[in-house]
Amino acid sequence: MAMLWKFMRVAKYSKTALSPKVKVRGIPTPSRHSSSKSVPSDFAASAPCSNTVELLGKCYPQDDYSNVTEKILSRVGKNLHNRKHHPLWLIKEQVKEHFYKHYLGRRGTPLFSVYDRLSPVVTVQQNFDSLLIPQNHVSRRKEDNYYLNRDHMLRAHTSAHQWDLIHSGLDAFLAVGDVYRRDTIDNTHYPVFHQMEGVRLFSCHELFSSIKDGEGLQLFEQGHRTAHKQECHTMEAVRLVEFNLKQVLTKLMTHIFGDGLQVRWVDCYFPFTHPSFEMEINFQGEWMEVLGCGVMEQQLVNSAGAQDKIGWAFGLGLERLAMILYDIPDIRLFWSEDERFLKQFIGPHIWQKIKFQPLSRYPPLINDISFWLPSETYAQNDFYDLVRTIGGDLIEKVVLLDEFAHPKTKKVSHCYRIVYRHPERTLTQDEVHRIHQAIQESAVRELGVEGRF
């Protein structure tokens, strides 16, 4: 559910013939102990035409909402979280093992199912509408998302699968996958990253069975929404769900980072959970946000067919955990094919203590770019996306240095500093100059800016 928490591949194009349109309306309930499930998205593919994008064997007609670049499409299907011994795979497996070991059903089998092969292509309905995100919410903007067209997109969070999985009859599950967002450029942000979603639903008996004199307690009431609960929930139910959620996540973080870990909770607001919290941990003297969570909106739970249950949801970023745990300084390194990076994470077991040993630190090359903005339609993320498309992973950081409004013409100028640094070799001035010039020319051609270079 983490897209709204801190509001964080050319394609592997299929050249085979496309299958006829298929529409899948249900999800078969899996066995509880399976570690890798595949659930088809409810999206349609049409016959090939002149203005389409082919992705993962499907064909999507483009329209005025289409904004996915070839650079981003080239990352689709890489599935780093399923690549054995990759640091993201290690984190995923550690969380899985923890849930499998500590949360068992009545028959002794794992309570939580795990889905780590879900399609990253989802409908707008799955990504936003099913989560009760309003039509005018800022998170829907083209500037922040990668749309194939008005109806289909690359998921912006693993929460896009919540409704489908609950509707299939699941009460407890983890969903893992790559997610896509247009964002700023620095060492902690990348347009493709990986999330893990967790959901747990409780019946009245499950929630109150361990409470003394809990027979008379209820999940629901006709009340009023406050800062602490939804109008349909009793305070007793909310408090128990909150306690269970925070206990589960505190145990998970302690298991990953070790005893003595300091944890604090910060109240916040997410459209599809209420009340909502962010979890921060104190690592090496610094407080860091690691996940968001909350009590699920009952309207969402009800619409998915679980009207008699109440639940919680959380979302965490695998890169964030891996960067903290293994001391990885740059998010671009997760996409490295350099054996000097990858071999560091090969060990006899997933819990082996690993501290990343930096590769040679190559010097940065810095260039600035200034231009007059075309109109109010300009968006910074459009420029960031253009820079990433041309410079790729040679771009370490882009910073807005200066914003100037001409006193007479009222035209606005932006000056950006672009830091070029290859994570695995030294760049030359000539190489960077060619890339920088291409960025300048594309900014004028694609964004309509007026160059000041």
Side-chain angles (χ1 to χ4, degrees), residues 31-44:
S31 59
R32 292 285 184 179
H33 61 275
S34 179
S35 63
S36 179
K37 310 290 195 324
S38 182
V39 179
S41 292
D42 184 18
F43 63 85

Side-chain angles (χ1 to χ4, degrees), residues 293-318:
C293 59
V295 179
M296 295 189 71
E297 282 288 340
Q298 197 60 40
Q299 183 182 342
L300 189 162
V301 176
N302 291 347
S303 68
Q307 296 90 338
D308 58 341
K309 297 178 180 178
I310 185 175
W312 52 246
F314 73 80
L316 56 85
L318 298 186

Side-chain angles (χ1 to χ4, degrees), residues 161-446:
H161 305 290
Q162 270 188 16
W163 192 95
D164 290 328
L165 292 170
I166 294 173
H167 187 63
S168 74
L170 297 178
D171 290 340
F173 58 84
L174 304 174
V176 194
D178 45 343
V179 298
Y180 300 77
R181 295 187 209 160
R182 305 178 77 196
D183 211 337
T184 55
I185 302 177
D186 58 37
N187 68 324
T188 63
H189 291 84
Y190 198 80
V192 188
F193 57 105
H194 299 73
Q195 287 183 344
M196 175 178 284
E197 190 87 5
V199 168
R200 175 76 195 277
L201 301 180
F202 301 88
S203 65
C204 187
H205 172 75
E206 289 170 325
L207 192 61
F208 297 127
S209 60
S210 61
I211 304 299
K212 184 179 179 181
D213 300 325
E215 296 84 359
L217 298 177
Q218 300 295 321
L219 297 179
F220 307 111
E221 67 176 8
Q222 294 296 322
H224 301 282
R225 178 172 289 241
T226 70
H228 305 291
K229 76 176 194 71
Q230 299 171 42
E231 56 268 34
C232 58
H233 291 160
T234 65
M235 184 58 72
E236 295 84 2
V238 171
R239 291 304 186 201
L240 282 174
V241 171
E242 278 185 33
F243 177 78
N244 181 268
L245 171 61
K246 292 179 177 180
Q247 188 179 50
V248 166
L249 294 175
T250 299
K251 286 181 178 180
L252 173 63
M253 291 299 121
T254 301
H255 199 63
I256 291 175
F257 293 104
D259 294 331
L261 182 73
Q262 292 180 282
V263 172
R264 71 182 183 189
W265 300 93
V266 180
D267 292 346
C268 58
Y269 168 74
F270 310 129
F272 45 95
T273 56
H274 178 76
S276 309
F277 314 94
E278 288 177 348
M279 181 190 207
E280 297 180 350
I281 67 171
N282 193 305
F283 191 76
Q284 299 178 347
E286 181 180 355
W287 285 101
M288 302 179 182
E289 177 205 345
V290 292
L291 56 85
C293 59
V295 179
M296 295 189 71
E297 282 288 340
Q298 197 60 40
Q299 183 182 342
L300 189 162
V301 176
N302 291 347
S303 68
Q307 296 90 338
D308 58 341
K309 297 178 180 178
I310 185 175
W312 52 246
F314 73 80
L316 56 85
L318 298 186
E319 278 88 349
R320 173 62 58 87
L321 295 184
M323 292 179 79
I324 298 173
L325 183 61
Y326 301 128
D327 201 17
I328 298 174
D330 193 322
I331 197 170
R332 294 177 300 164
L333 285 167
F334 291 104
W335 296 93
S336 175
E337 295 294 337
D338 193 324
E339 288 299 314
R340 294 175 299 167
F341 173 77
L342 298 172
K343 284 184 177 179
Q344 294 189 41
F345 301 94
I346 298 176
H349 55 80
I350 61 175
W351 296 102
Q352 180 178 351
K353 296 294 183 182
I354 299 172
K355 181 176 174 60
F356 171 66
Q357 300 301 314
L359 311 179
S360 299
R361 190 62 171 169
Y362 300 102
L365 294 176
I366 298 173
N367 284 264
D368 295 344
I369 179 172
S370 300
F371 46 75
W372 296 105
L373 306 189
S375 68
E376 66 277 359
T377 61
Y378 173 83
Q380 281 186 237
N381 279 349
D382 289 339
F383 178 66
Y384 295 148
D385 220 31
L386 182 147
V387 173
R388 277 216 188 269
T389 298
I390 297 173
D393 289 348
L394 302 185
I395 310 297
E396 180 177 76
K397 183 187 296 186
V398 179
V399 180
L400 178 61
L401 283 183
D402 181 61
E403 183 172 355
F404 167 74
H406 195 284
K408 292 184 178 180
T409 66
K410 306 303 180 183
K411 294 176 65 175
V412 176
S413 171
H414 277 189
C415 178
Y416 295 90
R417 173 154 293 172
I418 304 178
V419 180
Y420 298 84
R421 187 190 331 239
H422 199 294
E424 299 165 5
R425 64 177 176 84
T426 299
L427 292 172
T428 66
Q429 286 285 2
D430 287 344
E431 186 178 7
V432 169
H433 175 73
R434 290 193 296 270
I435 297 171
H436 197 74
Q437 187 172 18
I439 291 173
Q440 292 175 338
E441 295 171 354
S442 293
V444 172
R445 183 175 61 253
E446 304 294 337

Side-chain angles (χ1 to χ4, degrees), residues 80-140:
L80 300 182
H81 59 288
N82 289 332
R83 183 173 176 178
K84 193 171 183 180
H85 299 301
H86 191 280
L88 298 179
W89 176 84
L90 290 174
I91 289 289
K92 182 196 73 170
E93 292 299 311
Q94 289 178 23
V95 176
K96 278 173 52 180
E97 184 179 281
H98 174 78
F99 275 88
Y100 281 0
K101 180 178 180 180
H102 294 279
Y103 303 99
L104 302 176
R106 287 177 294 179
R107 298 181 180 179
T109 56
L111 182 66
F112 285 81
S113 303
V114 177
Y115 295 83
D116 56 10
R117 299 186 185 276
L118 302 167
S119 173
V121 180
V122 297
T123 64
V124 172
Q125 193 279 336
Q126 287 174 300
N127 199 80
F128 295 122
D129 299 336
S130 72
L131 299 171
L132 313 179
I133 297 174
Q135 287 289 334
N136 61 348
H137 198 280
V138 64
S139 66
R140 292 179 179 252

Side-chain angles (χ1 to χ4, degrees), residues 67-68 72 145-148 153-154 180-182 191 385:
N67 67 351
V68 183
I72 297 301
N145 299 283
Y146 288 106
Y147 285 91
L148 295 170
M153 63 188 296
L154 296 176
Y180 300 77
R181 295 187 209 160
R182 305 178 77 196
D385 220 31

